Amino acid sequence: MSRRQPAQLLADFLPYQLSIASNAVSTRIAEQYRKRFALKTTEWRVMAVLGDHGALTQRELTQQTLMDKVPVNRACRRLEDRGLVQRSPNAKDGRSHLLELTAEGRAVHDGIMPLARKIESELFSVLSEEERASLLDMLVRVREQAGDFDAESLAD
């Protein structure tokens, strides 16, 4: 029985491959929003979630993005400073605030989405429509199987 090299073991480890694929795709799209809109990845993820969901608390943003609360907090502050996100009192919980895209933030969001979709289309052109639908379905199922996480547990 031959002994496999560590690199081969890692190449066969699905979480590693998912991470590498995610980083490669995110980096490819990030090039565009960094160049055109001077946004960092964390800032864009916050904007994308707010664009999809509307007003959310920072805790909800942390849950939606599965990112640590510190980078989410920093991203929210930078986006506020740039006038892309606004903060308002949360009527449901006086201890938190709701964040939402401003008109300028919505315009930036709307400018990025066609670029992101175009790059997505280019990246996934190596897959048939059926393969692409299957991949999305499989990723959703794997994500659901991983379970829910408390925002506090996401810190490194």
Side-chain angles (χ1 to χ4, degrees), residues 11-32:
D12 292 341
F13 188 54
L14 183 59
Y16 174 76
Q17 289 300 328
L18 288 172
S19 178
I20 295 302
S22 173
N23 288 343
V25 171
S26 293
T27 298
R28 176 67 177 87
I29 294 171
E31 290 174 22
Q32 294 302 311

Side-chain angles (χ1 to χ4, degrees), residues 19-155:
S19 178
I20 295 302
S22 173
N23 288 343
V25 171
S26 293
T27 298
R28 176 67 177 87
I29 294 171
E31 290 174 22
Q32 294 302 311
Y33 56 72
R34 197 171 306 131
K35 282 183 205 173
R36 296 180 189 209
F37 300 99
L39 290 171
K40 295 180 179 179
T41 300
T42 308
E43 295 164 353
W44 168 241
R45 285 187 184 158
V46 166
M47 288 186 69
V49 170
L50 291 175
D52 274 0
H53 294 278
L56 295 172
T57 64
Q58 280 188 212
R59 182 177 178 85
E60 291 168 326
L61 281 166
T62 300
Q63 290 293 126
Q64 288 293 319
T65 60
L66 288 180
M67 293 187 300
D68 180 54
K69 65 183 179 179
V70 173
V72 170
N73 183 34
R74 284 187 194 130
C76 290
R77 273 189 301 204
R78 284 191 299 264
L79 292 169
E80 269 188 283
D81 291 346
R82 288 186 57 188
L84 301 174
V85 166
Q86 64 187 12
R87 187 180 299 263
S88 60
N90 183 357
K92 294 180 185 175
D93 181 357
R95 297 169 297 165
S96 66
H97 291 85
L98 293 171
L99 293 139
E100 62 185 321
L101 295 176
T102 61
E104 184 180 353
R106 172 63 57 194
V108 169
H109 178 274
D110 292 349
I112 293 173
M113 285 311 296
L115 292 171
R117 290 292 188 189
K118 181 177 182 249
I119 294 167
E120 175 191 41
S121 181
E122 291 168 5
L123 291 171
F124 291 107
S125 67
V126 297
L127 302 176
S128 70
E129 286 299 317
E130 184 178 288
E131 289 172 322
R132 191 172 172 181
S134 292
L135 176 61
L136 182 57
D137 176 65
M138 288 184 278
L139 289 172
V140 167
R141 286 188 283 150
V142 168
R143 168 59 192 100
E144 288 171 353
Q145 183 65 19
D148 292 327
F149 304 94
D150 177 33
E152 301 300 317
S153 72
L154 297 174

